[in-house]
Amino acid sequence: NLYYAYGIRNSFGIDFDPVTHTMWDTENGPDYGDEINLVELGFNSGWQKIQGIWKPRYDVERGGDLIAGQESLDPEPGEFVDFDGKGRYSAPEFVWNQTVGPTQIKFLHSDKYPKEYNNDLFAGDTNNGYLYHFDLSKDRKSLLLNGSLSDRVANKTAELEQVILGRGFGQITDLEIGPDGYIYILSHHNNVAMIFKITPDFRT
């Protein structure tokens, strides 16, 4: 009764779907396996036994660093604490194999943009300065991902092209929808703080 969700590692972004009111988050992996998750009651994100979709292993040659090991989307029964059946492991809805440092996520609920963007999910990262855009499935429990991303894993930077909406934002730390209905990005670069306003005629 004390916990809504657990097994979460370094979550820098949380937002609620304006249609279903369910919670989503981002998580930063150790050196791999950054995540976007649908967080429902009893959600177990798997840390430290699973990060992304991999069981971590320790690399002795790298000083004992955690690195990706065996893939595991279906943990063994009894592998996790489950609070007498009230908790359950849930695999991420999206994974970056190579860490990008995802930060804030934000659902767009605004009449300032074309209708195809309304109630979609946006995310930012600190490593690349990318602004990501994700469509949701009809039941809004997963992300609509095509081609090389249909497995929900971005194994290479090139695979991200279909979900990158913008570049060059420095280190994105926050996304907000302003009172005027526009997306605002808070970031910094070379010790300079910046705020970007994303208008409908925005081009990368």
Side-chain angles (χ1 to χ4, degrees):
N1 293 331
L2 293 177
Y3 306 105
Y4 186 87
Y6 61 108
I8 295 169
R9 184 189 193 278
N10 283 12
S11 178
F12 295 155
I14 294 175
D15 200 19
F16 293 87
D17 185 331
V19 178
T20 63
H21 308 294
T22 51
M23 181 190 297
W24 291 69
D25 81 351
T26 63
E27 292 183 38
N28 281 248
D31 289 311
Y32 67 93
D34 296 342
E35 304 176 3
I36 294 179
N37 293 289
L38 171 64
V39 183
E40 298 181 302
L41 180 63
F43 170 75
N44 178 5
S45 193
W47 177 255
Q48 177 178 23
K49 293 185 177 181
I50 294 180
Q51 184 62 30
I53 59 171
W54 303 279
K55 292 183 178 181
R57 64 183 178 85
Y58 293 93
D59 187 345
V60 177
E61 294 180 1
R62 290 172 51 182
D65 289 347
L66 280 174
I67 61 173
Q70 177 186 356
E71 184 174 315
S72 179
L73 288 174
D74 298 306
E76 298 289 334
E79 188 172 356
F80 292 117
V81 172
D82 66 359
F83 294 97
D84 295 324
K86 295 179 181 178
R88 62 179 182 81
Y89 170 73
S90 180
E93 299 305 321
F94 188 72
V95 178
W96 291 267
N97 186 355
Q98 300 171 348
T99 185
V100 300
T103 52
Q104 183 60 293
I105 55 173
K106 185 62 61 176
F107 284 93
L108 177 64
H109 188 62
S110 171
D111 61 2
K112 299 295 185 180
Y113 301 92
K115 289 184 179 179
E116 60 262 31
Y117 292 105
N118 201 35
N119 297 320
D120 288 355
L121 182 64
F122 293 78
D125 77 35
T126 61
N127 289 12
N128 304 303
Y130 291 163
L131 176 65
Y132 302 94
H133 164 243
F134 298 93
D135 290 309
L136 275 77
S137 62
K138 188 174 181 180
D139 64 5
R140 302 189 67 80
K141 290 190 173 184
S142 60
L143 303 177
L144 283 179
L145 300 165
N146 302 309
S148 60
L149 291 184
S150 59
D151 61 357
R152 300 186 291 178
V153 180
N155 289 297
K156 302 175 182 178
T157 302
E159 293 184 357
L160 293 171
E161 289 301 318
Q162 67 174 279
V163 294
I164 294 175
L165 182 65
R167 294 173 167 84
F169 293 107
Q171 294 178 283
I172 298 175
T173 59
D174 199 7
L175 303 175
E176 293 295 339
I177 310 300
D180 56 4
Y182 291 107
I183 300 172
Y184 287 84
I185 297 175
L186 175 65
S187 69
H188 63 90
H189 180 66
N190 291 334
N191 295 320
V192 176
M194 299 175 287
I195 296 177
F196 296 89
K197 178 180 179 179
I198 307 301
T199 57
D201 59 353
F202 167 75
R203 294 290 184 273
T204 59

